[in-house]
Amino acid sequence: MSTGHPSTGHSGTGNPGADNGPATDSPTGGASPASPQTLWKRKHLLGLSELSADEIRFVLDTAATFKEVSMRSVKKVPALRGRVVVNAFFEDSTRTRTSFSLAAQRLSADVIDFSEKGSSVSKGETLVDTARTIEAMGIDILVVRHAAAGAADLLSRNLKCSIINAGDGAHEHPTQGLLDLYTIRERFGKIEGLKVAIVGDIANSRVARSNIWGLTKLGAEVILVGPPTLCPKGFAKFGCRVTHDLDSVIGEIDVMYMLRVQNERMKSAQFPTVREFTKLFGLTWDRFQRCKKGVFVMHPGPMNRGVEIQSDIADGESSGILKQVENGLAVRMAALYLVSQAGN
Ligand code: CP
């Protein structure tokens, strides 16, 4: 990641769907911007590091109009009719894959779900050859998740279709970052000025990286919390506070964003025991009682219940975890729609 980020000032893009004509005449059913090209010119969505604050707000505003579609009795608009979206997942997923698949269907695209398991990857076919083979069938958007950081960027330079990054190694997970921003903005009516603690396994987390970019660009104060092995002081260069003492900041935080301990990405044990991790960095009931009144609790899922978050907090009134999933659908509809328009 580069270290700089643009201004955090608001430009007031407003509701981009507000000027649309009658719902029945619009390809988006009146649910999205008439001219997305005005603020969005990107064919690919690779990461939040490359987006400006205004571009991020534009995606969130577009998602807000698509969320309205999901509340209709007929939850479908013709925006991507005749287009083909392929979800190519080389790593496991529940939320992201299902959400992209449903989002593409709600936009009336033809949708194919491709998994590495059972594919010719087992015979040694490379990522680029696999993607080019799928592209040769005539696709418009490739949504890709891969264990290697930079995989989506590599494909954007080797294919003609639009690429959306659905998570590349520990690098970025831009639609997760966007749905988190959307959910925070929906809850508080703003992002600027909020104190957001991202807690746990920062070093291995693409979710943390995308959130750091997005939150700092939109003017939140980001506090990274975890053991030194998982939360190195070097992250301060991205404009965050870094602490290894959760209890020293717990009373000032508006959003507690708990990360999953990602055993699959750890090269060796990065903390002594799970029990010690929970004691020092878990959102336990005792710690929750010391949080600021009105604290909002988030987690990208899947959760290790009882490790980074206690079950009754995850399922309680302060939790936005299922709201994050719900908003992910609208954000992914917006992402698919915007890259498809820019790719024309
Ligand atoms: N948050 C997230 O990316 O979840 P999945 O791995 O289930 O897609």
Side-chain angles (χ1 to χ4, degrees):
M1 291 197 288
S2 64
T3 54
H5 64 74
S7 152
T8 55
H10 284 288
S11 70
T13 50
N15 179 347
D19 294 331
N20 280 350
T24 49
D25 293 341
S26 159
T28 59
S32 64
S35 301
Q37 293 86 350
T38 54
L39 254 172
W40 185 270
K41 301 188 190 312
R42 294 178 188 275
K43 183 177 171 186
H44 311 294
L45 176 57
L46 303 177
L48 296 196
S49 64
E50 64 186 16
L51 300 191
S52 69
D54 280 343
E55 285 175 306
I56 292 172
R57 284 190 206 101
F58 190 68
V59 180
L60 303 187
D61 291 341
T62 306
T65 62
F66 278 121
K67 188 164 176 179
E68 189 268 323
V69 170
S70 297
M71 292 167 185
R72 298 178 187 170
S73 54
V74 178
K75 300 174 177 54
K76 207 157 184 165
V77 291
L80 294 191
R81 190 160 54 200
R83 307 286 186 96
V84 180
V85 175
V86 173
N87 295 315
F89 278 65
F90 297 82
E91 266 193 338
D92 292 344
S93 168
T94 296
R95 279 148 284 271
T96 313
R97 178 164 38 194
T98 311
S99 179
F100 265 116
S101 193
L102 187 54
Q105 289 175 46
R106 290 210 170 155
L107 296 170
S108 304
D110 296 323
V111 187
I112 306 291
D113 284 328
F114 167 90
S115 292
E116 178 180 311
K117 290 187 189 86
S119 76
S120 289
V121 171
S122 66
K123 302 172 195 165
E125 194 159 45
T126 67
L127 170 63
V128 171
D129 281 341
T130 301
R132 279 187 177 147
T133 300
I134 295 168
E135 186 182 44
M137 297 175 201
I139 73 167
D140 299 285
I141 303 173
L142 185 73
V143 178
V144 63
R145 169 171 288 190
H146 199 279
D153 178 62
L154 176 72
L155 294 182
S156 74
R157 288 184 279 108
N158 283 279
L159 274 71
K160 294 185 185 66
C161 66
S162 289
I163 304 293
I164 297 181
N165 182 6
D168 61 328
H171 176 231
E172 280 232 37
H173 190 350
T175 57
Q176 179 71 48
L178 289 164
L179 74 88
D180 292 333
L181 292 168
Y182 186 99
T183 305
I184 293 170
R185 192 177 76 163
E186 185 180 64
R187 169 77 171 211
F188 291 94
K190 63 171 189 175
I191 291 171
E192 193 167 11
L194 294 175
K195 288 189 182 183
V196 181
I198 305 178
V199 185
D201 183 2
I202 313 288
N204 294 298
S205 176
R206 55 194 175 207
V207 173
R209 282 173 178 76
S210 288
N211 268 293
I212 290 168
W213 284 114
L215 286 163
T216 54
K217 286 178 182 192
L218 295 195
E221 183 182 347
V222 178
I223 299 135
L224 304 178
V225 191
T229 46
L230 297 177
C231 184
K233 288 279 186 200
F235 272 83
K237 71 182 177 207
F238 299 115
C240 310
R241 270 162 69 190
V242 177
T243 177
H244 309 308
D245 182 0
L246 179 56
D247 292 318
S248 70
V249 295
I250 194 106
E252 60 180 283
I253 302 299
D254 298 296
V255 179
M256 289 287 291
Y257 196 105
M258 309 308 294
L259 291 171
R260 181 171 69 90
V261 173
Q262 300 192 85
N263 290 310
E264 75 274 23
R265 294 197 204 285
M266 290 187 197
K267 293 182 178 64
S268 58
Q270 290 180 288
F271 50 87
T273 63
V274 168
R275 192 177 164 152
E276 186 176 13
F277 179 89
T278 302
K279 187 163 172 250
L280 293 173
F281 301 104
L283 191 52
T284 59
W285 188 251
D286 169 62
R287 201 162 265 132
F288 180 65
Q289 308 280 37
R290 286 182 275 125
C291 284
K292 190 173 171 181
K293 191 169 183 296
V295 70
F296 191 41
V297 177
M298 300 176 74
H299 192 298
M303 287 180 274
N304 296 306
R305 286 176 181 265
V307 179
E308 67 265 4
I309 188 165
Q310 202 162 306
S311 262
D312 46 3
I313 302 168
D315 300 331
E317 286 185 358
S318 298
S319 171
I321 294 169
L322 290 180
K323 192 53 90 172
Q324 289 171 262
V325 176
E326 179 189 325
N327 290 335
L329 185 58
V331 163
R332 288 174 178 126
M333 287 174 80
L336 288 165
Y337 174 67
L338 291 174
V339 299
S340 79
Q341 294 301 297
N344 275 337

